[in-house]
Amino acid sequence: MTDMKKRLATLLLELSYVEGEVTLTSGKKSDYYFDCKQTALHPEGGFLIGSLFLDMLAPLRVAGVGGMTLGADPLVSAVSVLSHVNRCPMPGFIIRKQPKGHGTNQYLEGLKNFHDGDRVALLEDVVTTGGTLLTSVERVRAAGFEVAAVLCVLDREEGGRERLAEAGLELRSIFTRKELLAAARS
């Protein structure tokens, strides 16, 4: 494991990992909650997540990155800004939960930075069942893009990877829950 990944594991456990019974977006009950936004909005955390995602994206040759608001917002921003710094610019887009309701009434924001048919990657903070990502995929495809990759910070290992695979998508994660807890112990 790289030093960056070890440091990110430490930050994630300090800032984002909370034990205790909660109800997740999927409706499932869990004995822990992972609030990745706390780490993604931290200066070092955002840098580490953006850097690790950029490394994962390098061989995929995508035109840009996007994800569902609100969890993906800091992830998309981190990757987009760092891609510019690293001279491999990747613009970002944000997917709304509901269409705007006025103006263009669209689900995606940031479209002027892309061309029809562009290959893009979707970013997500936490994957449980994969439902949010499948909704994102539908909206991105409807906007005329090809989803080339799906990346997340944490795979809770609760069926999301398998559900995405059934839809023909491979989930790539910085950590699974098991890997994150192991990294904290090392």
Side-chain angles (χ1 to χ4, degrees):
M1 182 176 302
T2 67
D3 288 343
M4 283 196 347
K5 201 165 173 181
K6 283 181 187 174
R7 177 63 184 144
L8 178 59
T10 300
L11 279 176
L12 287 168
L13 289 170
E14 286 175 8
L15 300 173
S16 297
Y17 188 84
V18 181
E19 291 191 351
E21 188 165 317
V22 294
T23 302
L24 305 172
T25 304
S26 64
K28 287 181 148 188
K29 297 281 186 199
S30 178
D31 61 350
Y32 75 98
Y33 181 65
F34 190 77
D35 184 4
C36 187
K37 289 179 286 304
Q38 301 305 316
T39 301
L41 291 168
H42 181 278
E44 184 183 11
F47 171 79
L48 293 169
I49 290 169
S51 296
L52 291 166
F53 273 157
L54 272 178
D55 288 346
M56 295 165 74
L57 289 164
L60 301 176
R61 304 169 82 66
V62 295
V65 296
M68 184 75 76
T69 200
L70 181 75
D73 293 3
L75 310 177
V76 170
S77 293
V79 169
S80 185
V81 168
L82 286 173
S83 74
H84 174 76
V85 170
N86 291 325
R87 299 188 176 157
C88 59
M90 281 187 235
F93 61 89
I94 300 297
I95 306 165
R96 293 176 173 274
K97 291 184 178 169
Q98 299 296 323
K100 213 167 166 176
H102 62 279
T104 58
N105 204 35
Q106 61 194 16
Y107 276 109
L108 274 64
E109 294 295 338
L111 292 178
K112 293 209 176 203
N113 298 310
F114 294 89
H115 299 54
D116 196 43
D118 275 349
R119 289 170 40 89
V120 298
L122 293 179
L123 307 179
E124 182 67 277
D125 54 359
V126 182
V127 174
T128 304
T129 65
T132 299
L133 277 168
L134 290 173
T135 299
S136 297
V137 168
E138 285 176 22
R139 292 179 184 169
V140 169
R141 287 177 175 162
F145 304 123
E146 176 189 344
V147 177
V150 179
L151 284 65
C152 70
V153 177
L154 180 74
D155 174 4
R156 290 178 59 101
E157 300 177 290
E158 295 182 25
R161 181 178 302 272
E162 295 77 13
R163 192 165 170 207
L164 290 164
E166 288 170 9
L169 300 162
E170 177 189 359
L171 177 66
R172 301 163 196 237
S173 61
I174 295 175
F175 294 105
T176 61
R177 180 186 187 192
K178 184 193 242 178
E179 290 168 343
L180 179 61
L181 295 177
R185 289 190 285 269
S186 65

